[in-house]
Amino acid sequence: MEHLASSMQSGEGGSGRQQALSASGVFGREQFGAEELAVVLSNYDLGVIESVTEFARGSRKAPKMLIAGEKGKFLLKRRARGRDEPQKVAFTHALQLYLTEKGFPLAHLIGTRRHNNSMLQVCGGVYELFEYVDGQPYAHTLEATHEGGKVLATYHQLLNDFRTEWKPGTGSYHAAPGVKRGFEVLLAKEASAEDREVLTFLMDSYQHASEMVEGLGLPAWPKQIVHADWHPGNMIFKGDRIAAVIDYDSARFLPRVVDVANGALQFSIVGGGDDVASWPVELDAARFRRFLRGYDSVSLLTEAEVKTLPWLMIEALVAEAVFPIAMTGHFGRVEGAPFLRMVKRKVQWMQKSVDQLIELAET
């Protein structure tokens, strides 16, 4: 595929800037318009198309379609507003093309018909087409958890020396100004005394965790390209092996441990049913340890990095909850207040278990 500079061109083979983007569909999920879809697909050499079906997963702001035809299955995606700046897309595509050359497991980008560009700009939107990778979701086994850590370390190792003309972002869940603003929004709303106590506790806990990480030296540590959204939902498994890692939209320039801590949290957190009040507070210790053993099998974490893990995990958990709840009042289908009470219980457990988590990470 050609260098991505050529993919910055717009209106390839289509009808320019016609406004074919549809309004939000069911439950606020963005959808493709019929004319928009016809124009976009005409830019790819897919042969005879047998079916086109909505792929209602991932971000509601980034609609996707599953395309099946004589040349296989493909996934078409329109970039969400705010994540569709051509320079940002070009960076993530350069990253994915580099990983493809290195043999990393991911869904390959498909080039356009005329110029083999990985990015298409028509109909007022930015589009990507990927090969569709069949597989299963994360099965919560120790073997699959080990794989999650091992593949993350491989990702970091491959990208340690990656350089590109496109500049990545640098922000993360650590010491993020947006988290403080999110708490201010929530505290400004009418809330019960109990809810305000929960918000104050989480805000103070987040600040304390950030200070602990800073004190351990993270700002001075080497930075590299990280995934910044490493969780099982961004992986396609075949058995206990990862067939593809997806969603590079958040990739940025940070110390690698920011990725590792989020991955350790996401692979070990214990949820439950719709009643979040009944969710266990503790992490799955076996999966926490196995994820880190997977990472260490490729690249060893330093003693200093290990000591930051519990504090970064607290930051990651709080940030992930506060951002959507401040915007919508909900976390997915769950009301914000009970979800934040559940987060408080988990944070309290992690605060009490810092030494235990460090010991598990070191053994």
Side-chain angles (χ1 to χ4, degrees), residues 149-150 152-160 172-173 218-230 252-264 291-292 294-306 308-309 312:
K150 179 181 177 181
L152 176 59
T154 301
Y155 174 92
H156 287 164
Q157 192 174 70
L158 289 174
L159 292 173
N160 191 44
S172 75
Y173 61 81
L218 182 138
W221 295 348
K223 296 179 176 63
Q224 66 160 93
I225 300 300
V226 301
H227 187 274
D229 199 16
W230 196 264
R252 55 201 58 229
F253 199 62
L254 295 167
R256 64 176 185 169
V257 72
V258 176
D259 244 1
V260 178
N262 184 59
F291 178 85
L292 295 172
Y295 193 92
D296 284 344
S297 70
V298 176
S299 180
L300 287 173
L301 292 170
T302 67
E303 182 178 348
E305 286 176 316
V306 168
T308 67
L309 290 175
L312 283 168

Side-chain angles (χ1 to χ4, degrees), residues 56-237:
R57 300 181 193 175
S59 171
R60 295 176 183 274
K61 298 180 181 180
K64 304 175 186 68
M65 300 295 289
L66 180 60
I67 317 295
E70 64 175 328
K71 294 193 176 182
K73 291 183 179 179
F74 305 91
L75 190 66
L76 176 66
K77 172 182 174 181
R78 186 213 301 152
R79 282 271 183 155
R81 293 297 188 188
R83 293 199 171 191
D84 58 353
E85 295 180 14
Q87 293 83 0
K88 292 182 179 179
V89 180
F91 164 70
T92 62
H93 284 196
L95 173 64
Q96 290 172 76
L97 293 172
Y98 177 86
L99 290 172
T100 297
E101 292 176 357
K102 299 296 183 180
F104 187 78
L106 76 168
H108 297 159
L109 284 158
I110 305 300
T112 54
R113 182 199 306 271
R114 291 178 58 190
H115 300 298
N116 199 28
N117 290 338
S118 60
M119 181 193 342
L120 175 67
Q121 297 179 78
V122 292
C123 303
V126 175
Y127 304 84
E128 304 161 300
L129 186 69
F130 300 89
E131 66 171 354
Y132 180 77
V133 180
D134 284 308
Q136 302 86 39
Y138 173 56
H140 297 86
T141 65
L142 293 180
E143 292 76 11
T145 304
H146 184 277
E147 177 84 348
K150 179 181 177 181
V151 174
L152 176 59
T154 301
Y155 174 92
H156 287 164
Q157 192 174 70
L158 289 174
L159 292 173
N160 191 44
D161 297 320
F162 173 70
R163 300 291 182 270
T164 176
E165 62 186 293
W166 314 111
K167 292 184 178 181
T170 56
S172 75
Y173 61 81
H174 166 62
V179 174
K180 180 180 179 181
R181 291 194 294 270
F183 278 117
E184 290 172 349
V185 168
L186 291 170
L187 285 167
K189 297 178 180 178
E190 293 184 13
S192 67
E194 180 187 7
D195 291 343
R196 295 184 69 84
E197 187 278 327
V198 170
L199 290 168
T200 300
F201 170 83
L202 291 176
M203 183 168 58
D204 291 345
S205 296
Y206 180 86
Q207 180 63 31
H208 177 251
S210 298
E211 292 171 356
M212 292 297 294
V213 171
E214 296 284 304
L216 287 165
L218 182 138
W221 295 348
K223 296 179 176 63
Q224 66 160 93
I225 300 300
V226 301
H227 187 274
D229 199 16
W230 196 264
H231 63 80
N234 277 337
M235 291 153 212
I236 300 168
F237 286 82

Side-chain angles (χ1 to χ4, degrees), residues 271-324:
D274 291 336
D275 181 14
V276 295
S278 66
W279 286 16
V281 297
E282 68 275 6
L283 299 176
D284 186 311
R287 283 193 273 130
F288 172 77
R289 185 174 183 275
R290 191 62 70 91
F291 178 85
L292 295 172
R293 292 292 72 74
Y295 193 92
D296 284 344
S297 70
V298 176
S299 180
L300 287 173
L301 292 170
T302 67
E303 182 178 348
E305 286 176 316
V306 168
K307 289 180 178 178
T308 67
L309 290 175
W311 304 111
L312 283 168
M313 291 163 65
I314 289 171
E315 287 190 272
L317 179 58
V318 173
E320 183 174 5
V322 167
F323 280 130

